[in-house]
Amino acid sequence: MGAARIVVVGTGYVGLTTGACLASLGHRVTCVDVDAAKVARLSAGRVDILEPGLSELVAHGLTGGTLSFVVRAREVVADADAVFLCVPTPMGAGGAADLRAVEDVVLAIADVLPSGCSVVTKSTVPVGTARRIRALLDRPDVPVVSNPEFLREGTAVSDFLGPDRIVVGSDTPGAAERVAELYAELDAPAVVTDAASAELVKYAANCFLAMKLSYVNSIAELCERFGADIESVTEGMGHDRRIGRSFLKPGPGWGGSCLPKDTSALLRMAESAGFGFGLLDAAIAENLAQRDRVIAKIARAVGGNLADARIGLLGLAFKAGTNDLRDSPALAVASVLCAHGAEVTAYDPAVAGEQPGMLVADSPYRVAKGADVVVVLTEWPEFRRLDWPYMAELMHGDTVVDTRNLLDPRTVLDAGLCWQGIGRPRATVGSATSVS
């Protein structure tokens, strides 16, 4: 397929990345968003999302005339070859995915879609959504295709343009193949299948990663109890090609815009099919337990009582490289600390503005000033490069709780502070504990 006329509905992480990247592949793309002010900003080349390479792609598409932004989908779908649905599917009542935004868009454009135009779900949607969309469209001449995204915040552009695979599914003969051709310029294997299988792939992948993270956090807890070192354990695991090295980093729990809602949605889907997905249920429970263990570790560092303790937090975003706070484990930990009466000051290089119950500082050194303990919650590389002797001078206490195992323990020790990670031996000044 040559240059196609594509409409992308939604300009969040997925929609804007999808639109800008498809335009960079030579297609003519119109992105739609109901927020007129946002459309105006994007039309002027101003991108609010912190995503490496995205602003440049948007600017290139605008300059080259392959990318544009509008408010109303009905006005631009009449000559489209494909309409990509990239609207939010948040966790709804009972944990199931809320599909109201998807359904609203489908109903709004059903009567103006040209015959043969593919309606493509890029948003993460439950199994059976393609069937639901076909019923809402009531247009046998308009195929519905599932094309799930596998984009990580902070690397979304490179993930789109250099994917591990492209998954496309439809129950209409030939429709999935036509959508797969939109990606012909990319060197990636295409998995072409039925709609239900394509819809399930995304949940199966994300929930597997969530379970892997919960597992490594559990192993980290065992390391602390047995006196083992999680870094040595995961190195030994990672050499096994059946396991791999990715998603073997312990932390304060998993979060973000995808894993919490996708694990919950798959549980609800399993229940609706009469299947008790105990393994996934346990992974979710373990994730909550990990946050409780982090809170307990911080409490011990201030003598057991969080009330009135002065706690400095480094990081609020759910991961480094993004300003996204949705279901951030760092923010969850901060909220519990505040609820227990702690005086919390936080710093994140990508997060500004107020957060409930805490002071958000404009410098990591303000976080350290007078702190009884400093806690690393997001793995921003710049935290490694802080002046730790100066941090020690500013602090009231002497402990750094590193929930990401980000810092060099020796650097912290040399500053006269104690270091405590996740699943690693505690390192204290003057102790014989080996650190590396």
Side-chain angles (χ1 to χ4, degrees):
M1 179 184 288
R5 294 162 297 184
I6 298 172
V7 173
V8 175
V9 183
T11 61
Y13 275 98
V14 174
L16 188 56
T17 302
T18 296
C21 288
L22 286 173
S24 76
L25 297 179
H27 303 298
R28 301 188 68 84
V29 180
T30 302
C31 292
V32 181
D33 200 286
V34 295
D35 186 338
K38 186 177 185 181
V39 166
R41 291 195 302 273
L42 290 170
S43 297
R46 297 198 299 273
V47 176
D48 299 329
I49 297 171
L50 178 61
E51 195 62 53
L54 186 55
S55 293
E56 292 81 358
L57 277 186
V58 169
H60 186 268
L62 290 170
T63 302
T66 57
L67 182 64
S68 59
F69 298 90
V70 301
V71 175
R72 294 178 180 84
R74 283 181 62 85
E75 298 176 359
V76 293
V77 300
D79 63 349
D81 296 307
V83 176
F84 281 72
L85 305 181
C86 301
V87 295
T89 55
M91 190 187 304
D98 184 343
L99 296 179
R100 284 179 293 180
V102 171
E103 294 173 351
D104 288 348
V105 173
V106 170
L107 291 172
I109 65 176
D111 63 328
V112 292
L113 290 168
S115 181
C117 173
S118 296
V119 173
V120 184
T121 54
K122 200 71 168 170
S123 303
T124 302
V125 295
V127 176
T129 300
R131 184 170 59 251
R132 170 67 175 153
I133 291 174
R134 285 201 305 273
L136 290 174
L137 285 171
D138 195 21
R139 291 281 305 272
D141 60 327
V142 174
V144 178
V145 179
S146 174
N147 176 214
E149 53 83 16
F150 300 97
L151 308 179
R152 298 166 297 170
E153 292 184 33
T155 58
V157 170
S158 59
D159 288 342
F160 191 102
L161 297 177
D164 296 323
R165 75 292 202 195
I166 296 164
V167 177
V168 191
S170 179
D171 297 329
T172 300
E177 288 82 358
R178 288 193 295 274
V179 171
E181 288 175 8
L182 298 173
Y183 301 92
E185 294 295 316
L186 303 181
D187 182 20
V191 178
V192 178
T193 183
D194 59 277
S197 297
E199 289 167 341
L200 189 54
V201 165
K202 177 59 183 292
Y203 286 102
N206 271 5
C207 292
F208 179 82
L209 296 177
M211 289 189 290
K212 193 173 182 182
L213 287 170
S214 285
Y215 180 79
V216 79
N217 280 334
S218 297
I219 295 298
E221 178 64 16
L222 285 180
C223 284
E224 292 190 15
R225 298 188 183 204
F226 291 146
D229 189 328
I230 188 64
E231 295 210 345
S232 296
V233 173
T234 54
E235 181 183 2
M237 292 171 62
H239 282 292
D240 189 327
R241 288 171 292 185
R242 299 168 301 173
I243 297 173
R245 297 179 180 276
S246 64
F247 283 74
L248 287 182
K249 289 282 189 181
W254 41 265
S257 61
C258 293
L259 296 190
K261 74 179 183 68
D262 290 353
T263 50
S264 179
L266 187 56
L267 268 185
R268 301 292 85 78
M269 278 186 274
E271 289 173 1
S272 70
F275 174 63
F277 204 153
L279 186 62
L280 183 57
D281 202 9
I284 295 171
E286 169 57 28
N287 192 49
L288 296 175
Q290 179 68 1
R291 295 181 188 181
D292 290 341
R293 288 193 288 265
V294 167
I295 296 295
K297 193 183 292 282
I298 296 169
R300 288 193 296 272
V302 297
N305 186 9
L306 290 170
D308 299 322
R310 302 184 71 178
I311 300 175
L313 305 182
L314 293 176
L316 288 174
F318 88 92
K319 61 181 281 190
T322 180
N323 56 358
D324 197 344
L325 296 174
R326 288 176 291 178
D327 277 304
S328 168
L331 201 58
V333 168
S335 297
V336 174
L337 295 173
C338 292
H340 280 81
E343 182 182 327
V344 177
T345 303
Y347 168 78
D348 190 294
V351 177
E354 297 180 359
Q355 292 297 326
M358 72 188 82
L359 172 67
V360 178
D362 58 3
S363 163
Y365 299 107
R366 287 190 64 190
V367 160
K369 188 173 183 180
D372 297 312
V373 61
V374 168
V375 185
V376 178
L377 288 170
T378 308
E379 69 280 22
W380 288 101
E382 70 177 64
F383 295 155
R384 293 194 191 100
R385 301 188 293 272
L386 294 178
D387 184 340
W388 282 100
Y390 182 47
M391 293 281 284
E393 288 179 23
L394 294 170
M395 289 176 63
H396 176 264
D398 65 354
T399 300
V400 176
V401 176
D402 184 358
T403 73
R404 298 286 186 168
N405 293 344
L406 174 74
L407 308 176
D408 178 0
R410 177 56 62 188
T411 298
V412 177
L413 287 180
D414 288 347
L417 296 169
C418 301
W419 178 90
Q420 188 172 2
I422 300 292
R424 302 202 66 199
R426 179 182 175 90
T428 59
V429 177
S431 72
T433 301
S434 173
V435 294
S436 58

